[in-house]
């Protein structure tokens, strides 16, 4: 029971920390970069689930873990994607805008997609998912904290500037606790499926980076936009995936098996991100040299 309370409250705090770094302009900026935003949003909301679904056809997993992989693919990028975009020299404004808007859209998209995925992979064994209840729960622990964070940034700027770094550090600690907890609670399941789950998530992560990059390049976006969209596609909000996995299995004490893929990816995404960032930086250097 303690974990089932701690988990959503921790995610709410993490989302508050995200909102604290946003302004109204980050949402309004979408209108100024419609093409880049559209490509990035389609990559996240449409292409990512398709890639995950295809991967599960190649790497079959137990039904609950398959649903967990799909849940991970439904999640938007988090504040980590913004940090990595900055390091890689991508368009930070685009990355922040995608994180902000797609995070809010996920309140609608994620419950609908989860209901489909659980029915597809689990059939009659699928948990009874009330889309409205799940959407409201996600709204309460994602959209509301983000809105509060944005409001604090807008109306209490001094407080936001003073405490943003501390709040971000606390959010990072909570993220680590959530990921480690998800792995520890499902260690046997993780160990039994490591031979398939590990390669699947690593390969999926690489493909997602490349899909985002390819989609942006195909639409002739700038190099900075290509980098931002590539990273937004490859880095998912694994804390949200873990929490949603728990929301659809409320009868489970602790971390549900649905949460395990997101927990594993919460670690692997950094392993995947390093070579991908080096690739993006190298590609950008070559492009600059050729221009």
């Amino acid at each position: 029971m303690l974990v089932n309370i701690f988990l959503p409250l921790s995610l709410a705090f993490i989302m508050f920390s995200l909102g604290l770094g946003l302004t109204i302009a980050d949402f309004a900026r979408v209108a100024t970069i419609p093409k880049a935003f559209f490509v990035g949003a389609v990559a996240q909301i449409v292409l990512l689930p398709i890639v995950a679904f295809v991967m599960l056809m190649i790497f079959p997993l137990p039904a609950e873990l398959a649903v967990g992989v799909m849940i991970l693919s439904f999640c938007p990028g988090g504040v980590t994607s913004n940090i990595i975009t900055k390091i890689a020299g991508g368009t930070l404004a685009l990355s922040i805008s995608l994180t902000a808007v797609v995070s809010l859209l996920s309140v609608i998209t994620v419950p609908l997609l989860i209901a489909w995925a659980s029915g597809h992979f689990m059939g009659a064994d699928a948990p009874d998912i009330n889309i409205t209840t799940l959407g409201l729960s996600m709204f309460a622990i994602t959209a509301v904290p983000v809105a509060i964070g944005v409001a604090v940034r807008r109306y209490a700027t001094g407080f936001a500037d003073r405490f943003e770094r501390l709040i971000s550090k606390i959010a990072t600690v909570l993220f680590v606790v959530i990921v480690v907890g998800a792995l520890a609670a499902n260690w046997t399941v993780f160990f039994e499926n490591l031979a398939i789950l590990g390669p699947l998530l690593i390969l999926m992560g690489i493909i997602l980076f490349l899909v985002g990059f390819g989609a942006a390049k195909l639409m002739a976006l700038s190099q900075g936009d290509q980098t931002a969209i590539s990273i937004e596609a490859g880095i998912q909000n694994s804390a949200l995936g873990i929490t949603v996995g728990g929301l659809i299995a409320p009868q489970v004490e602790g971390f549900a098996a649905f949460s395990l893929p997101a927990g594993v990816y919460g670690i692997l995404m950094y392993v995947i991100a390093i070579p991908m960032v080096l690739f993006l930086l190298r590609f950008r250097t070559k492009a600059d040299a050729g221009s």
Side-chain angles (χ1 to χ4, degrees):
M1 185 66 178
L2 179 62
V3 171
N4 293 338
I5 295 175
F6 171 79
L7 194 55
L9 288 179
S10 296
L11 178 63
F13 189 88
I14 292 171
M15 297 306 292
F16 169 73
S17 73
L18 170 62
L20 200 62
L22 300 174
T23 66
I24 299 298
D26 293 321
F27 295 89
R29 190 182 294 114
V30 171
T32 67
I33 49 174
K35 182 180 177 181
F37 178 83
F38 177 78
V39 173
V42 169
Q44 282 193 302
I45 298 173
V46 180
L47 298 183
L48 266 65
I50 292 175
V51 169
F53 184 80
V54 172
M55 293 297 296
L56 288 169
M57 299 300 101
I58 301 172
F59 298 91
L61 285 173
E64 286 189 340
L65 294 185
V67 174
V69 170
M70 293 306 299
I71 290 174
L72 174 65
S73 75
F74 301 151
C75 292
V79 66
T80 304
S81 63
N82 305 149
I83 297 172
I84 295 177
T85 296
K86 184 176 181 180
I87 293 173
T91 306
L92 185 58
L94 174 60
S95 175
I96 292 174
S97 298
L98 282 167
T99 296
V101 177
V102 177
S103 291
L104 296 183
L105 288 176
S106 68
V107 172
I108 299 173
T109 60
V110 171
L112 292 172
L113 290 170
I114 288 176
W116 166 79
S118 61
H120 177 83
F121 288 100
M122 300 185 69
D125 295 327
D128 184 18
I129 298 175
N130 187 311
I131 295 176
T132 302
T133 300
L134 180 57
L136 290 174
S137 297
M138 287 189 59
F139 180 80
I141 61 178
T142 59
V144 171
V146 167
I148 293 174
V150 172
V152 171
R153 166 64 61 186
R154 173 67 177 82
Y155 297 106
T157 307
F159 173 87
D161 291 338
R162 191 176 305 114
F163 292 102
E164 182 179 4
R165 181 169 295 181
L166 174 61
I167 290 173
S168 178
K169 288 181 179 179
I170 295 174
T172 300
V173 171
L174 289 174
F175 170 76
V176 173
V177 170
I178 290 173
V179 169
V180 172
L183 290 174
N186 296 280
W187 183 253
T188 301
V189 178
F190 167 65
F191 186 77
E192 290 176 350
N193 294 277
L194 179 61
I196 297 178
L197 187 60
L200 184 154
L201 291 176
I202 291 174
L203 184 57
M204 187 175 81
I206 294 172
I207 291 174
L208 293 179
F209 269 99
L210 296 177
V211 164
F213 178 79
K217 189 171 180 60
L218 183 65
M219 297 302 292
L221 298 179
S222 69
Q223 293 171 16
D225 290 350
Q226 291 172 21
T227 297
I229 292 173
S230 176
I231 293 170
E232 284 293 319
I235 300 296
Q236 309 309 310
N237 187 342
S238 54
L240 175 59
I242 294 170
T243 305
V244 170
L247 289 176
I248 66 174
Q251 74 281 1
V252 176
E253 183 64 28
F255 294 86
F258 294 118
S259 302
L260 182 57
V264 176
Y265 196 74
I267 297 173
L268 290 180
M269 68 180 180
Y270 295 101
V271 178
I272 300 167
I274 293 173
M276 287 298 102
V277 167
L278 293 176
F279 163 77
L280 292 169
L281 287 172
R282 184 177 178 82
F283 178 85
R284 184 162 187 164
T285 300
K286 285 185 175 181
D288 289 342
S291 61

